[in-house]
Amino acid sequence: MAKDEVKLFGYWASPFALRVEWALKIKGVEYEYIDEDLMNKSPMLLQYNPVHKKIPVLVHNGKPVAESLVIIEYIEETWKQNPIFPEDPYEKAQARFWAKFADEKCQPSIFSAFLKQGEELEKAVKEARENLKTLEMGLKGKFFGGEKIGFADVAIGWIPFWTGMTEEIIGVKLVDEENMTLLNAWFKDVLNVEILKERLPPRDKTLAHCKNFRESLLSAGASASPST
Amino acid sequence: MAKDEVKLFGYWASPFALRVEWALKIKGVEYEYIDEDLMNKSPMLLQYNPVHKKIPVLVHNGKPVAESLVIIEYIEETWKQNPIFPEDPYEKAQARFWAKFADEKCQPSIFSAFLKQGEELEKAVKEARENLKTLEMGLKGKFFGGEKIGFADVAIGWIPFWTGMTEEIIGVKLVDEENMTLLNAWFKDVLNVEILKERLPPRDKTLAHCKNFRESLLSAGASASPST
């Protein structure tokens, strides 16, 4: 069999590209990483993802797959080693449920807290805390995957990293350490998993990037959301 | 092995419950259907879906699964007969991609057209048409699944039914028959698939329900979205 050609179009500060990289790393799949300039996207990216025109896109032997969670499922089914999902369909459904919850509820509310000010910030913070408290219900032990990381950890392990920076930027804690003991422990544990930790972008550079991104959105009065 | 106990908490006019029923029917799984009163949800529903408090919820031998697309994946993995997904991981990714696209882009824009008036309606109609035109790219032949229905057809086969009613209510065509020949054919073909057709709610009753729902939202000035 010819060697697989695997390319990943990403952006260094994108959590959605990061989670795809984590899945590839866990599987031990070799890939070429192409960092996109989001202000000037490459013709290749637009060709491979004509629908959303967004990163991440995985291109496997010339065939593109878009949407980060769809890509992770594809990676899991294509390379069988080191399964990311549990075998049991019920546990698999739970993992998908929590990844979806985090994408649809936690991420928008944390992003809203990141962007709002004054009274709107208070409301956003309250909502983000409620969603994070709910997310805690999905922990099956140390991780969402139980004693080792699974699909939900890979999908949403970026949340602790970006939430920490958001808290620093807005000067408000989103994780209530007393009231979210389990989630707070997961926030630390998941970023200490070697294979995840080593692919995190440098914190200082990412923090500066987030600050600039926030300033530009605030001054434009916009409320764009990051690409998934 | 003891007989499976399968319950589905739904709502007769919910497309998200409908798609789960379609998956169960395709698999030939026997189930008890519980129709919820959405204005006065049962304690069972709230117990089984404490996170979203929404239908549909599938309860299999006492264990609940929520979120309609997650439920369909669970059904596929639990009952192996009559596969809904293709075996090839790439085709599987395509099916997931289009189901997600329809949920995240087509559904909100059609719902927006359903609710808006005046200039806002024009904008919503334009957006719905663009999204439906994009959706057409996903057709692999007669169906999204190729020559027979697959995951994306089951997941989004409700769109033709509800779009037709929306067009009738707002008095504007969303499907451009000349410019969306393939999608227009799918709109007809998918609702003629016997196993899907026989579970559709009665059109007259659903149309009256949609009209009432629209009136109540317009008079409340709200923009609630249906449960997924």
Side-chain angles (χ1 to χ4, degrees):
Chain A
M1 204 170 76
K3 199 172 175 306
D4 278 325
E5 188 193 63
V6 181
K7 292 181 184 181
L8 175 65
F9 290 78
Y11 177 61
W12 69 272
S14 162
F16 307 105
L18 178 65
R19 62 188 182 185
V20 172
E21 286 208 82
W22 281 346
L24 290 167
K25 288 288 172 190
I26 287 169
K27 295 286 181 175
V29 175
E30 282 180 36
Y31 60 96
E32 179 191 347
Y33 174 79
I34 298 117
D35 201 64
E36 282 286 326
D37 173 358
L38 300 187
M39 295 295 118
N40 184 22
K41 293 172 185 172
S42 73
M44 290 295 271
L45 175 64
L46 304 181
Q47 177 199 318
Y48 283 133
N49 189 0
V51 172
H52 298 295
K53 302 178 177 67
K54 283 180 178 177
I55 59 96
V57 180
L58 184 83
V59 184
H60 182 201
N61 295 334
K63 290 157 92 179
V65 186
E67 291 285 351
S68 58
L69 293 186
V70 175
I71 299 173
I72 299 175
E73 297 249 13
Y74 175 79
I75 290 170
E76 172 77 348
E77 286 161 7
T78 301
W79 294 280
K80 307 286 187 194
Q81 65 274 23
N82 308 324
I84 294 171
F85 273 115
E87 267 191 48
D88 178 63
Y90 188 74
E91 287 177 29
K92 225 168 152 172
Q94 297 302 302
R96 288 192 179 113
F97 177 88
W98 289 110
K100 192 173 164 70
F101 177 80
D103 270 17
E104 293 179 0
K105 298 286 180 184
C106 299
Q107 185 243 306
S109 61
I110 294 165
F111 190 68
S112 182
F114 174 76
L115 271 192
K116 302 291 181 189
Q117 288 171 311
E119 259 181 48
E120 283 193 337
L121 174 61
E122 266 179 57
K123 203 181 140 205
V125 166
K126 187 169 174 283
E127 205 179 310
R129 279 186 190 149
E130 282 168 5
N131 286 329
L132 288 168
K133 182 67 192 162
T134 302
L135 182 65
E136 193 176 43
M137 291 166 62
L139 282 165
K140 303 278 174 243
K142 192 171 175 183
F143 300 109
F144 285 87
E147 288 317 299
K148 64 189 191 85
I149 55 165
F151 176 72
D153 299 284
V154 171
I156 66 183
W158 61 272
I159 288 184
F161 187 66
W162 266 266
T163 301
M165 287 185 295
T166 297
E167 290 177 331
E168 189 172 330
I169 292 170
I170 65 175
V172 181
K173 289 293 274 183
L174 297 177
V175 178
D176 176 346
E177 291 180 19
E178 280 182 29
N179 189 33
M180 304 181 199
T181 331
L182 294 177
L183 193 77
N184 194 42
W186 177 77
F187 261 53
K188 293 183 172 64
D189 291 336
V190 75
L191 294 182
N192 272 324
V193 175
E194 203 52 46
I195 206 160
L196 306 190
K197 192 178 182 173
E198 67 194 15
R199 290 300 304 169
L200 282 177
R203 194 177 189 282
D204 288 352
K205 187 181 168 194
T206 316
L207 185 66
H209 172 78
C210 288
K211 281 180 180 166
N212 286 341
F213 181 55
R214 182 170 180 269
E215 286 307 317
S216 64
L217 287 180
L218 287 178
S219 61
S223 63
S225 78
S227 63
T228 54
Chain B
M1 203 170 75
K3 199 175 173 308
D4 279 325
E5 189 192 60
V6 182
K7 291 180 186 183
L8 176 64
F9 291 77
Y11 177 62
W12 70 272
S14 161
F16 307 106
L18 178 64
R19 62 189 183 185
V20 172
E21 286 208 81
W22 280 345
L24 290 168
K25 288 288 171 187
I26 288 170
K27 294 287 181 176
V29 174
E30 282 180 38
Y31 60 96
E32 179 191 348
Y33 174 78
I34 298 117
D35 201 66
E36 282 285 328
D37 173 358
L38 299 186
M39 294 296 117
N40 183 23
K41 293 172 184 173
S42 73
M44 290 295 271
L45 175 65
L46 304 180
Q47 177 198 319
Y48 283 133
N49 189 1
V51 172
H52 298 295
K53 302 178 177 65
K54 282 181 179 176
I55 57 95
V57 179
L58 184 83
V59 185
H60 182 201
N61 295 333
K63 292 157 93 177
V65 185
E67 291 285 350
S68 57
L69 293 187
V70 175
I71 298 173
I72 299 175
E73 298 250 12
Y74 174 78
I75 290 170
E76 172 78 348
E77 286 161 5
T78 302
W79 294 281
K80 306 287 186 192
Q81 66 273 23
N82 308 326
I84 294 171
F85 272 115
E87 267 191 46
D88 177 64
Y90 186 76
E91 287 178 28
K92 225 169 152 172
Q94 296 303 302
R96 288 190 178 114
F97 176 88
W98 289 110
K100 194 173 163 69
F101 177 80
D103 271 16
E104 293 179 1
K105 298 286 181 181
C106 299
Q107 186 243 305
S109 61
I110 294 166
F111 191 68
S112 181
F114 173 76
L115 270 191
K116 301 293 183 187
Q117 290 171 309
E119 258 183 49
E120 282 192 338
L121 174 62
E122 265 180 57
K123 203 181 142 205
V125 167
K126 187 169 174 282
E127 207 179 310
R129 281 186 190 149
E130 281 168 6
N131 286 328
L132 287 169
K133 183 66 192 163
T134 303
L135 181 64
E136 193 176 43
M137 291 166 62
L139 282 166
K140 302 281 174 239
K142 192 172 175 183
F143 300 109
F144 286 88
E147 288 317 300
K148 63 188 192 88
I149 55 166
F151 176 72
D153 299 284
V154 171
I156 66 183
W158 61 272
I159 288 184
F161 187 66
W162 266 266
T163 301
M165 288 184 295
T166 297
E167 290 177 330
E168 189 172 331
I169 292 169
I170 65 175
V172 181
K173 290 293 274 182
L174 297 177
V175 178
D176 176 344
E177 293 182 18
E178 280 182 28
N179 189 32
M180 303 180 198
T181 330
L182 293 177
L183 193 76
N184 194 43
W186 176 78
F187 261 54
K188 292 182 175 64
D189 291 336
V190 75
L191 294 183
N192 272 323
V193 174
E194 203 54 45
I195 206 159
L196 306 188
K197 191 178 182 174
E198 67 193 14
R199 291 301 302 170
L200 283 178
R203 194 178 191 278
D204 288 354
K205 187 182 168 192
T206 316
L207 185 66
H209 172 80
C210 287
K211 281 180 180 168
N212 286 340
F213 181 55
R214 182 170 180 268
E215 286 307 315
S216 64
L217 287 178
L218 287 178
S219 62
S223 64
S225 80
S227 62
T228 55

